Amino acid sequence: RTKKRTLETSLPCIGQEGFPYGFNVSSSGEARENYPTRMGLYLIQAGVLYEEYPTYKHEMENFYIFHRSYARWSFSKTVGAKSSFFSGPKAKEGEYPQASGWEYGHGGKWKPDTTLTVQKLDDNWTGSDGLNCYTDNTDETYH
């Protein structure tokens, strides 16, 4: 089945209650050196959940932030993938990704990068084109 992904332009993004519209991911250290294209804005995907948490997609690439069952937020090329390139600190139930404490994967090991941050976007944020989120035409939930 083909799933069409479009940018929602008619309304501001209405995310899952208690979760931000998106995050700005940045680093001036080794995470940036190893994963430069993974930096940037990640926006909530309206109606796309993984394990009952919202998912976020990079604004220009097919990279995702999602919550894993073992209480960590992760970054990967596929929602729910077992391998990831960034892994966050343990989060309490219902908590969105923390700004600091992230690690990046390199050479089969997790390494800290104290400059790697995942900053929540302001609630009034709108993108350069006035866009706030991605939306799918299927309202699919991943398991």
PDB file of all heavy atoms in Angstrom, residues 100-102 112-117:
ATOM      1  N   SER A 100      19.367  17.613  26.564  1.00  0.00           N
ATOM      2  CA  SER A 100      20.766  17.184  26.623  1.00  0.00           C
ATOM      3  C   SER A 100      20.867  15.737  27.094  1.00  0.00           C
ATOM      4  O   SER A 100      19.868  15.108  27.425  1.00  0.00           O
ATOM      5  CB  SER A 100      21.555  18.111  27.547  1.00  0.00           C
ATOM      6  OG  SER A 100      21.011  18.057  28.853  1.00  0.00           O
ATOM      7  N   GLY A 101      22.100  15.230  27.129  1.00  0.00           N
ATOM      8  CA  GLY A 101      22.322  13.856  27.565  1.00  0.00           C
ATOM      9  C   GLY A 101      22.278  12.843  26.436  1.00  0.00           C
ATOM     10  O   GLY A 101      22.186  11.642  26.673  1.00  0.00           O
ATOM     11  N   TRP A 102      22.383  13.297  25.196  1.00  0.00           N
ATOM     12  CA  TRP A 102      22.283  12.432  24.021  1.00  0.00           C
ATOM     13  C   TRP A 102      23.623  11.798  23.676  1.00  0.00           C
ATOM     14  O   TRP A 102      24.684  12.347  23.958  1.00  0.00           O
ATOM     15  CB  TRP A 102      21.764  13.238  22.832  1.00  0.00           C
ATOM     16  CG  TRP A 102      20.331  13.595  23.001  1.00  0.00           C
ATOM     17  CD1 TRP A 102      19.816  14.627  23.739  1.00  0.00           C
ATOM     18  CD2 TRP A 102      19.223  12.896  22.464  1.00  0.00           C
ATOM     19  NE1 TRP A 102      18.450  14.607  23.684  1.00  0.00           N
ATOM     20  CE2 TRP A 102      18.052  13.558  22.902  1.00  0.00           C
ATOM     21  CE3 TRP A 102      19.094  11.779  21.646  1.00  0.00           C
ATOM     22  CZ2 TRP A 102      16.781  13.131  22.552  1.00  0.00           C
ATOM     23  CZ3 TRP A 102      17.824  11.360  21.291  1.00  0.00           C
ATOM     24  CH2 TRP A 102      16.684  12.030  21.750  1.00  0.00           C
ATOM     25  N   PRO A 112      29.269   9.729  23.948  1.00  0.00           N
ATOM     26  CA  PRO A 112      28.636  10.988  24.343  1.00  0.00           C
ATOM     27  C   PRO A 112      29.124  12.158  23.493  1.00  0.00           C
ATOM     28  O   PRO A 112      30.244  12.143  22.992  1.00  0.00           O
ATOM     29  CB  PRO A 112      29.074  11.159  25.795  1.00  0.00           C
ATOM     30  CG  PRO A 112      30.365  10.412  25.889  1.00  0.00           C
ATOM     31  CD  PRO A 112      30.262   9.277  24.906  1.00  0.00           C
ATOM     32  N   ASP A 113      28.253  13.123  23.287  1.00  0.00           N
ATOM     33  CA  ASP A 113      28.610  14.400  22.661  1.00  0.00           C
ATOM     34  C   ASP A 113      27.861  15.458  23.456  1.00  0.00           C
ATOM     35  O   ASP A 113      26.653  15.624  23.285  1.00  0.00           O
ATOM     36  CB  ASP A 113      28.208  14.427  21.190  1.00  0.00           C
ATOM     37  CG  ASP A 113      28.527  15.759  20.511  1.00  0.00           C
ATOM     38  OD1 ASP A 113      28.835  16.754  21.216  1.00  0.00           O
ATOM     39  OD2 ASP A 113      28.454  15.823  19.276  1.00  0.00           O
ATOM     40  N   THR A 114      28.555  16.146  24.334  1.00  0.00           N
ATOM     41  CA  THR A 114      27.908  17.116  25.212  1.00  0.00           C
ATOM     42  C   THR A 114      27.355  18.311  24.452  1.00  0.00           C
ATOM     43  O   THR A 114      26.545  19.058  24.995  1.00  0.00           O
ATOM     44  CB  THR A 114      28.872  17.613  26.308  1.00  0.00           C
ATOM     45  OG1 THR A 114      30.026  18.184  25.677  1.00  0.00           O
ATOM     46  CG2 THR A 114      29.297  16.470  27.220  1.00  0.00           C
ATOM     47  N   THR A 115      27.745  18.477  23.171  1.00  0.00           N
ATOM     48  CA  THR A 115      27.209  19.589  22.382  1.00  0.00           C
ATOM     49  C   THR A 115      25.969  19.187  21.594  1.00  0.00           C
ATOM     50  O   THR A 115      25.329  20.041  20.985  1.00  0.00           O
ATOM     51  CB  THR A 115      28.267  20.143  21.406  1.00  0.00           C
ATOM     52  OG1 THR A 115      28.518  19.189  20.374  1.00  0.00           O
ATOM     53  CG2 THR A 115      29.564  20.495  22.132  1.00  0.00           C
ATOM     54  N   LEU A 116      25.618  17.898  21.591  1.00  0.00           N
ATOM     55  CA  LEU A 116      24.435  17.413  20.876  1.00  0.00           C
ATOM     56  C   LEU A 116      23.194  17.760  21.687  1.00  0.00           C
ATOM     57  O   LEU A 116      23.028  17.294  22.818  1.00  0.00           O
ATOM     58  CB  LEU A 116      24.519  15.904  20.651  1.00  0.00           C
ATOM     59  CG  LEU A 116      23.340  15.225  19.966  1.00  0.00           C
ATOM     60  CD1 LEU A 116      23.057  15.809  18.587  1.00  0.00           C
ATOM     61  CD2 LEU A 116      23.595  13.723  19.862  1.00  0.00           C
ATOM     62  N   THR A 117      22.341  18.624  21.140  1.00  0.00           N
ATOM     63  CA  THR A 117      21.136  19.044  21.847  1.00  0.00           C
ATOM     64  C   THR A 117      19.896  18.851  20.981  1.00  0.00           C
ATOM     65  O   THR A 117      19.954  18.904  19.749  1.00  0.00           O
ATOM     66  CB  THR A 117      21.206  20.520  22.288  1.00  0.00           C
ATOM     67  OG1 THR A 117      21.343  21.342  21.137  1.00  0.00           O
ATOM     68  CG2 THR A 117      22.350  20.754  23.252  1.00  0.00           C
TER      69      THR A 117
END
